[in-house]
Amino acid sequence: MDTQNQSTASESPANESDASGDLVGTKIAETDVNPATAEIVNTQYRQQLIIALAAVRDGDFSVRLPADNGLGEIAKLFNEMVSVNEKFADEVDRVSQVVVEEGKVPKPTAIKEFKGSWVSSMDAVNATLNSLITPTIDMARVLHAVAKGDLSEKFS
């Protein structure tokens, strides 16, 4: 990026940093001296966002936008959204591993970032697993009893 044409935070209130050091403004075009340079920079920011969105669409939840890329709050919210997607995928993987290795549905963990549809989606995963595993466990219990000669056991 051309640093000679960049405004500093003291030149324009639109580029002030907040307490965390992130840029408050989301448009460099308003503070840049050279409109052509501003358009190039804004195009670069849009391109970064497009590439990151495509990566998430394709299942890459490791992608993050830098906080200082000129997108400000958009980058912050994007990163939070991707983080929740990543945690959801990790939780589904964890539950799947426990089911495969132990043959039981693990107790659901409360993930504070899950809200709205994320909670209902995780509940649906757990309910589906329960409905599939419960009959299997019941069948194993009855078969085990029959193998020991106990014909009194019944499916519940």
Side-chain angles (χ1 to χ4, degrees):
M1 178 161 68
D2 182 8
T3 56
Q4 291 177 339
N5 290 326
Q6 252 189 312
S7 296
T8 63
S10 62
E11 291 173 16
S12 171
N15 254 1
E16 289 178 10
S17 293
D18 64 10
S20 68
D22 291 339
L23 289 179
V24 176
T26 58
K27 275 189 160 180
I28 258 196
E30 296 172 3
T31 61
D32 235 315
V33 176
N34 183 340
T37 301
E39 185 57 35
I40 291 169
V41 170
N42 282 332
T43 300
Q44 289 171 344
Y45 295 155
R46 279 193 303 270
Q47 191 60 33
Q48 281 181 339
L49 181 59
I50 289 167
I51 290 168
L53 286 167
V56 171
R57 176 202 62 207
D58 295 339
D60 179 1
F61 300 136
S62 66
V63 67
R64 298 292 188 275
L65 290 171
D68 62 348
N69 74 346
L71 293 173
E73 188 70 14
I74 293 170
K76 179 182 176 224
L77 290 171
F78 174 86
N79 291 341
E80 290 171 359
M81 177 188 69
V82 175
S83 177
V84 170
N85 275 289
E86 185 174 41
K87 286 179 181 172
F88 183 81
D90 289 346
E91 181 64 7
V92 170
D93 284 345
R94 183 192 71 80
V95 168
S96 175
Q97 274 187 316
V98 171
V99 168
V100 168
E101 292 171 6
E102 299 176 20
K104 61 183 178 181
V105 178
K107 291 183 181 182
T109 55
I111 298 176
K112 66 180 179 181
E113 291 87 359
F114 286 5
K115 297 174 183 137
S117 291
W118 292 114
V119 173
S120 59
S121 293
M122 201 67 238
D123 288 347
V125 167
N126 288 323
T128 301
L129 289 173
N130 275 323
S131 69
L132 294 171
I133 289 177
T134 301
T136 304
I137 291 172
D138 195 37
M139 187 181 305
R141 180 187 53 78
V142 171
L143 289 175
H144 184 72
V146 169
K148 288 185 166 186
D150 181 2
L151 302 177
S152 66
E153 285 292 324
K154 306 232 185 293
F155 292 108
S156 47

